[in-house]
Amino acid sequence: MSFVPMAEIRRGGILESLHHGIAVVADADGRILQSWGDPSFVTFPRSSLKPFQAIPLVESGAADAAGLTEEHLALACASHSAEDFQVALVRGWLERLGLSESALVCGPDLPRSQADQISVIRAGGDRSRVFHNCSGKHCGFLTLTKHIGAPVGGYADPAHPAQRLYLEAFSELLGEDATRLPRGVDGCGLPALALPMAAMARGAARWAAARVATEARRTAIHRLQSAIRTYPDHLSGRGSATGRIVRASQGRVLLKGGAEGYVVGFVPEQGLGIAVKLADGTARAKMGVFSALLGRLGLVDAAESLARDVEGVINDSNGQPVGEVRVTLPD
């Protein structure tokens, strides 16, 4: 395994920390166009797989049968912050399904921001499964489960019909049997797959190009792309790096971050896929690295400015700048 320097943290102009990682750019024909570090490195994309997991929700007709909107589809791909609009969507979605939050496999949590946590506690609230960042994905699986008449309980089991539908779609995009990939358990309780960085970039490129055999699956992917493009803040939160990058690219670039320093990018009009992993699992620099990569690929203007905007400044507890995240991606 080999990683390359990708970002450094400087405080007062002095080097404080280094982040190494791997990045791969592929096209829908399976060619690796550029790579930094070892593209054969196997790891977990974690939540970066959510746009793939959401395919059967749309392809099966479950989304339309439940009357879901593009906002719901974006939330099915989200690792949301439990902001007010996201929580309202999740609660309304469960009502549509006639289910309580106890049906969600993901555990109880508090909203991501301290201000939202304080609001919940002051109102006499507590941790809730609807606040979990993966609750939109879980609502998607529950919708699919009810639509196909499968047992609502046990949808986290890899052998559950809803999981099998996801694995079948993912297998087509990977060009290999996803059921044979190494597997762990994600933080939300659902199965987590591990695969080489190169395979993830190829799969992302095929998702971007909707390179699939059936019109139903192609349409499903296009609808998910439209939802992410239209509602990028739903994927994380208002003012998030995800939303800023989608807007900076004028919707040409879509992306989904994952835990432990992972992010996957999709460029539909060029059929490109991008996979980035920071070796130390930090989330701190990955969006800056991803933004710099977009500049290298000519997909955004002023990439250095974008990288600084999404996570370039380190502030102290008074909100004053005291350091910076500097991208050092090799040529």
Side-chain angles (χ1 to χ4, degrees):
M1 124 188 16
S2 67
F3 300 96
V4 300
M6 288 195 162
E8 59 187 30
I9 309 304
R10 289 188 172 268
R11 185 179 298 268
I14 298 171
L15 179 65
E16 185 171 34
S17 301
L18 288 171
H19 297 300
H20 292 70
I22 298 168
V24 184
V25 182
D27 66 16
D29 292 324
R31 294 174 296 196
I32 301 301
L33 305 182
Q34 295 186 61
S35 65
W36 294 261
D38 181 7
S40 68
F41 177 65
V42 175
T43 192
F44 294 95
R46 301 288 295 277
S47 286
S48 291
L49 291 177
K50 287 177 179 175
F52 300 89
Q53 292 172 309
I55 292 172
L57 169 65
V58 184
E59 181 183 20
S60 67
D64 288 338
L68 302 186
T69 67
E70 277 201 331
E71 289 190 84
H72 293 100
L73 298 186
L75 202 68
C77 299
S79 298
H80 66 75
S81 302
E83 296 179 15
D84 51 2
F85 71 101
Q86 296 161 330
V87 172
L89 274 170
V90 173
R91 286 179 170 152
W93 196 340
L94 287 170
E95 287 178 9
R96 286 171 184 262
L97 298 176
L99 297 171
S100 70
E101 68 172 81
S102 64
L104 298 169
V105 168
C106 54
D109 205 350
L110 286 169
R112 187 171 298 165
S113 80
Q114 187 177 76
D116 287 336
Q117 292 173 14
I118 291 170
S119 295
V120 168
I121 294 167
R122 281 180 173 169
D126 201 347
R127 295 177 181 272
S128 169
R129 294 177 189 272
V130 300
F131 295 149
H132 194 286
N133 75 91
C134 294
S135 60
K137 174 181 74 173
H138 285 251
C139 283
F141 272 112
L142 285 169
T143 304
L144 174 62
T145 293
K146 292 198 72 173
H147 183 72
I148 62 178
V152 171
Y155 71 88
D157 187 333
H160 189 277
Q163 293 293 335
R164 291 204 304 266
L165 286 172
Y166 150 56
L167 291 171
E168 190 275 323
F170 194 37
S171 294
E172 181 181 12
L173 290 161
L174 286 181
E176 62 179 291
D177 185 358
T179 66
R180 300 175 67 86
L181 293 174
R183 183 188 301 132
V185 179
D186 214 325
C188 66
L190 294 191
L193 301 178
L195 63 158
M197 296 290 294
M200 186 69 261
R202 292 187 184 104
R206 292 176 184 131
W207 189 95
R211 184 73 65 83
V212 289
T214 68
E215 186 60 31
R217 184 164 294 169
R218 191 173 305 115
T219 298
I221 293 172
H222 285 152
R223 288 179 63 182
L224 292 169
Q225 290 174 354
S226 177
I228 293 171
R229 186 179 294 112
T230 305
Y231 296 102
D233 287 342
H234 286 51
L235 270 71
S236 183
R238 297 182 182 98
S240 68
T242 298
R244 281 183 269 178
I245 292 170
V246 171
R247 293 185 181 98
S249 71
Q250 299 180 320
R252 297 172 64 203
V253 177
L254 311 177
L255 66 150
K256 180 66 192 75
E260 298 297 323
Y262 213 106
V263 60
V264 169
F266 314 91
V267 188
E269 67 181 34
Q270 295 184 28
L272 298 180
I274 305 165
V276 175
K277 164 71 177 178
L278 295 187
D280 58 4
T282 184
R284 174 169 57 182
K286 69 180 183 182
M287 290 301 189
V289 171
F290 184 79
S291 299
L293 262 176
L294 298 183
R296 298 279 183 92
L297 297 169
L299 294 169
V300 294
D301 297 326
E304 289 186 10
S305 175
L306 176 62
R308 286 195 300 271
D309 179 52
V310 297
E311 57 184 0
V313 179
I314 297 172
N315 293 321
D316 67 10
S317 57
N318 293 304
Q320 298 301 309
V322 295
E324 64 174 333
V325 180
R326 184 180 298 176
V327 176
T328 58
L329 191 68
D331 293 329

